[in-house]
Amino acid sequence: MIKDVRNISDNNSITVIILTYNEELHIERAILSALNITNDIIIIDSYSNDNTQAIAKKYNIKFVTRFFNAFSDKLNWCIENLEIETKWVIRLDADEYFNNNFKRDFELFIQNNDKNLSAIYVNRELCFMCKPIKYGGYYPNFSIRIWRNRSVFCETRFLDEHLIVKQGFAKYSNLKIIDMPLYGLSQWIHKHNNYANLEALSYLETFSNKSTKNQINENLFGNTPERNKWFKNNFFYRLPIFIRCFAYFIYRYILKFGFLDGKNGFIFHVMHSFWYRFLVDSIIYEKSINSKN
């Protein structure tokens, strides 16, 4: 029997949205974790062809099926169209779960902040081969995951999208989500192969001087997403193609102490630098050649 964990105060009420596609390996863990926070859970699925829907329907939660062109389209549709009655909304990826004190810490955070708070930065602890990556600049890793209902929108990008606050302000918190995929290295490679194509498209869109409407600004002195975007576009992508993956490895593994994560950290940073980042550059190079022919 599922216990009723609805918040006593409407000011603390929250809906968890989980975006899925073929997540039978993770979805039950995500649902059970969300049920520790609230009974208001909505799954938005992109026509999974595995057992995602069958597993989810064992629980008394809303399941929506819809096709989307990109993740930002999917999230913006959720923000604008889902019938959410709670004051707050949080996005949880299917391969993530909340840390043990999340509900208590969320309620305390809301109580200690004023009515103009519109969004909350949450820390994400990334795990690789079932162990957390604590160094290399990957932790802490803050992004807006909680927002006041209909107070944000998602920037339009192929990859690495961020939420933008329409009114009010966002604030950093001590809240934490654990990102622990249960699949093996081969599936990690498959997913990042898709990410590499999207990253290359994002690069080409940025440096072809196309419109940056509905995107966060580049700002060296701004918040975390704004600083990261500035460094990526004004430093990393200004380095010579194919050479920057070596610079990336030196920065992450040596200068940011990635080696302190042991063998898992070594594998992670080698794969991210000399495989993923090299693959992104190779796709960019291939597309630049094709555009000249």
Side-chain angles (χ1 to χ4, degrees):
M1 181 178 180
I2 298 173
K3 62 181 179 180
D4 189 346
V5 292
R6 291 184 187 273
N7 302 97
I8 297 174
S9 170
D10 289 339
N11 192 49
N12 296 337
S13 61
I14 190 167
T15 294
V16 178
I17 62 172
I18 307 173
L19 281 58
T20 60
Y21 177 69
N22 288 348
E23 291 287 356
E24 63 180 6
L25 188 62
H26 300 112
I27 189 59
E28 189 160 34
R29 183 184 67 180
I31 292 171
L32 292 173
S33 180
L35 285 169
N36 288 322
I37 307 300
T38 179
N39 289 332
D40 295 300
I41 302 169
I42 306 175
I43 294 177
I44 303 89
D45 186 72
S46 298
Y47 292 98
S48 293
N49 53 31
D50 65 355
N51 291 319
T52 297
Q53 183 170 358
I55 294 171
K57 288 198 169 181
K58 294 192 300 182
Y59 301 90
N60 186 27
I61 56 178
K62 188 173 182 179
F63 193 96
V64 178
T65 304
R66 189 177 176 89
F67 176 78
F68 299 92
N69 292 320
F71 180 85
S72 58
D73 294 335
K74 192 173 190 178
L75 190 52
N76 278 326
W77 183 88
C78 293
I79 293 169
E80 296 167 6
N81 296 282
L82 288 178
E83 296 180 359
I84 294 176
E85 298 179 355
T86 60
K87 180 165 286 189
W88 295 95
V89 184
I90 181 169
R91 176 176 69 85
L92 182 72
D93 288 346
D95 58 358
E96 297 173 339
Y97 59 92
F98 300 108
N99 75 324
N100 292 334
N101 299 322
F102 194 95
K103 183 173 183 289
R104 182 201 65 188
D105 292 343
F106 168 72
E107 292 176 343
L108 289 173
F109 188 84
I110 296 300
Q111 291 172 12
N112 294 328
N113 283 279
D114 65 41
K115 62 182 180 180
N116 292 320
L117 177 68
S118 295
I120 303 172
Y121 284 91
V122 175
N123 187 16
R124 178 176 66 98
E125 181 179 276
L126 174 66
C127 298
F128 181 75
M129 292 184 171
C130 296
K131 290 187 177 180
I133 299 297
K134 292 289 191 179
Y135 299 94
Y138 281 93
Y139 186 87
N141 184 0
F142 285 96
S143 62
I144 292 176
R145 285 299 193 93
I146 304 176
W147 61 91
R148 193 182 295 269
N149 197 6
R150 302 186 185 278
S151 68
V152 301
F153 65 92
C154 185
E155 62 173 340
T156 53
R157 287 174 56 85
F158 291 104
L159 189 68
D160 196 24
E161 313 86 347
H162 296 91
L163 291 177
I164 300 173
V165 178
K166 294 190 289 188
Q167 58 186 7
F169 67 93
K171 189 173 181 180
Y172 288 82
S173 73
N174 63 339
L175 301 171
K176 186 164 74 171
I177 288 174
I178 314 299
D179 180 355
M180 184 179 288
L182 298 174
Y183 48 69
L185 188 58
S186 61
Q187 182 63 19
W188 185 95
I189 291 171
H190 174 72
K191 289 189 70 171
H192 282 74
N193 183 48
N194 294 330
Y195 293 158
N197 282 284
L198 296 174
E199 175 71 20
L201 289 173
S202 294
Y203 167 89
L204 294 170
E205 181 181 59
T206 299
F207 290 94
S208 63
N209 297 317
K210 291 185 178 181
S211 173
T212 57
K213 182 180 179 181
N214 294 334
Q215 291 191 14
I216 64 168
N217 298 318
E218 300 175 11
N219 187 351
L220 178 59
F221 304 103
N223 56 37
T224 301
E226 290 172 339
R227 290 197 305 271
N228 289 342
K229 188 173 183 179
W230 188 93
F231 275 110
K232 179 181 282 189
N233 293 341
N234 294 277
F235 180 72
F236 177 76
Y237 275 130
R238 301 296 180 181
L239 296 174
I241 192 170
F242 300 123
I243 300 300
R244 51 195 177 216
C245 63
F246 292 90
Y248 188 82
F249 178 79
I250 292 171
Y251 172 73
R252 292 290 189 184
Y253 191 69
I254 298 175
L255 299 182
K256 300 295 286 185
F257 306 109
F259 60 87
L260 293 177
D261 278 318
K263 291 181 180 178
N264 281 46
F266 178 72
I267 297 170
F268 178 80
H269 290 292
V270 167
M271 294 298 293
H272 250 287
S273 304
F274 300 127
W275 182 78
Y276 175 69
R277 284 292 165 188
F278 192 87
L279 179 59
V280 172
D281 276 357
S282 299
I283 296 170
I284 292 171
Y285 178 71
E286 179 185 47
K287 290 183 181 297
S288 67
I289 291 176
N290 292 339
S291 66
K292 296 176 183 178
N293 295 332

